[in-house]
Amino acid sequence: MPCRAARRLYKALGRRGIFLAILGVGKTCWGISFIVDPPGTQGLELLTSVCSLRHWAWLWIVCGLITLSSAFLRVGRDWVGYVAALIPPTVWAIAYMAAVIVGNYSRGGFVAVWYLTSHVGVIMWAATVPEYSVPPVPRPARRGKAA
């Protein structure tokens, strides 16, 4: 029974939807972790000068839920999920780059490049992948009565 449900969900979501669902769950969990056990603020002074990391956690959570919800939309309308998925890592990358420029956190440049490549770059690439770029496996012809 669970396999049937998984196949049905896979068929309903498609490749793009599954990617958005995984991203949405991940971003939501990441945001919740900032509320449950906030990390240090080194390198994030730009953000914490506006409000605490607990408040910034809601950016991750809301964008994660939008991304997850967009997984259930049709291809072409799921762009909202990709935009929402881009926002938190872009904000974090900007904060870390600002910390490098100001001189507060020299390691921030590497963290910013990590966010820009493994998050922003992958999301932007996935947004361009068509739902069915690989042709389906051909099925053998069924035997039947000749008409």
Side-chain angles (χ1 to χ4, degrees), residues 3-21 68-76 78 131-132:
C3 291
R4 185 181 305 167
R7 281 192 297 272
R8 185 174 288 169
L9 183 63
Y10 178 79
K11 188 175 181 180
L13 293 179
R15 292 186 324 169
R16 291 170 59 95
I18 289 173
F19 180 76
L20 285 171
L68 177 61
S69 300
S70 296
F72 297 93
L73 298 176
R74 290 186 311 175
V75 174
D78 59 357
E131 179 62 33
Y132 297 104

Side-chain angles (χ1 to χ4, degrees), residues 33-96:
S33 78
F34 279 98
I35 293 173
V36 173
D37 187 19
T41 60
Q42 188 176 14
L44 297 172
E45 289 82 9
L46 179 66
L47 300 179
T48 57
S49 68
V50 176
C51 57
S52 73
L53 280 182
R54 288 181 182 262
H55 291 97
W56 283 105
W58 286 102
L59 176 71
W60 286 92
I61 294 169
V62 169
C63 288
L65 293 174
I66 292 170
T67 303
L68 177 61
S69 300
S70 296
F72 297 93
L73 298 176
R74 290 186 311 175
V75 174
R77 293 186 178 175
D78 59 357
W79 65 270
V80 174
Y82 288 100
V83 171
L86 286 171
I87 294 170
T90 303
V91 169
W92 252 245
I94 290 169
Y96 280 118

Side-chain angles (χ1 to χ4, degrees), residues 83-114:
V83 171
L86 286 171
I87 294 170
T90 303
V91 169
W92 252 245
I94 290 169
Y96 280 118
M97 285 305 288
V100 170
I101 292 168
V102 173
N104 292 342
Y105 191 52
S106 60
R107 185 174 172 256
F110 299 105
V111 179
V113 170
W114 177 73

